[in-house]
């Protein structure tokens, strides 16, 4: 199974832009931190820009958040970069002649919808600002142990 890292990489990109605001903010520099490629970073930044989370100027490596990090939620970022946005997916290829195969899709769609709604409610409570604070806290803790 293949997992999407778009949300992680988008949060990483936004946090990098805030933390390194006075440094090189080129897609190459951000990609080096994400350990990805600049084209992926540019695609993510495009999605974040379309969602009004990021402001960019063509030809300039100076992206900025479009709003305060305390006003950007994990759900905002998730909805900007994940398509279609469902966390869980039902297997469409089950045997309709089997009791389980004939009913599992509808059963799981209901359960997965509940999980999706609960996850989105929780994601709405987590801000980019809180994630950045956690990054700084972890960095200070690492520094104090060395």
């Amino acid at each position: 199974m293949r997992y999407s890292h778009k949300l992680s990489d988008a949060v990483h990109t936004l946090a990098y832009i805030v933390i390194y605001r006075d440094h090189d903010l080129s897609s190459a520099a951000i990609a080096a931190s994400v350990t990805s490629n600049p084209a992926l970073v540019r695609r993510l930044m495009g999605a974040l820009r379309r969602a009004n989370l990021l402001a960019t100027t063509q030809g300039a490596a100076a992206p900025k958040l479009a709003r305060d990090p305390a006003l950007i939620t994990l759900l905002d970022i998730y909805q900007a970069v994940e398509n279609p946005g469902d966390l869980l997916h039902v297997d469409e290829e089950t045997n309709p002649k089997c009791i389980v195969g004939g009913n599992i899709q509808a059963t799981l769609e209901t359960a997965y919808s509940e999980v999706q709604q609960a996850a989105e409610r929780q994601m709405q409570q987590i801000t980019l600002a809180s994630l950045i604070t956690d990054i700084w806290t972890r960095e200070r803790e690492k520094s104090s142990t060395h």
Side-chain angles (χ1 to χ4, degrees):
M1 173 182 274
R2 192 169 168 154
Y3 298 102
S4 170
H5 297 127
K6 288 180 190 176
L7 178 59
S8 294
D9 292 346
V11 171
H12 187 139
T13 297
L14 293 171
Y16 187 97
I17 289 167
V18 171
I19 291 170
Y20 286 101
R21 67 184 159 271
D22 296 326
H23 296 84
D24 180 6
L25 296 179
S26 67
S27 58
I30 297 169
S33 179
V34 176
T35 63
S36 185
N37 65 66
L40 173 103
V41 170
R42 286 191 296 274
R43 279 194 303 275
L44 284 174
M45 290 173 72
L48 295 166
R49 187 182 66 251
R50 286 187 295 280
N52 297 314
L53 301 178
L54 190 63
T56 60
T57 304
Q58 192 165 349
K64 292 181 177 21
L65 297 187
R67 54 183 135 137
D68 188 288
L71 300 176
I72 297 174
T73 68
L74 192 56
L75 181 60
D76 294 329
I77 303 166
Y78 171 74
Q79 290 174 334
V81 299
E82 289 292 347
N83 294 325
D86 290 336
L87 294 171
L88 305 171
H89 302 277
V90 175
D91 183 353
E92 304 279 333
E93 303 292 323
T94 58
N95 182 351
K97 294 178 184 175
C98 169
I99 291 172
V100 178
N103 295 289
I104 193 70
Q105 293 168 349
T107 296
L108 288 178
E109 284 173 4
T110 299
Y112 289 1
S113 176
E114 291 174 20
V115 170
Q116 183 78 30
Q117 290 171 19
E120 288 184 9
R121 279 192 303 274
Q122 186 62 36
M123 292 168 85
Q124 188 70 38
Q125 302 304 310
I126 300 168
T127 66
L128 179 59
S130 69
L131 296 171
I132 291 168
T133 297
D134 191 69
I135 290 168
W136 279 119
T137 300
R138 291 173 187 276
E139 182 61 24
R140 279 192 294 278
E141 288 171 357
K142 283 193 324 192
S143 297
S144 68
T145 60
H146 290 106

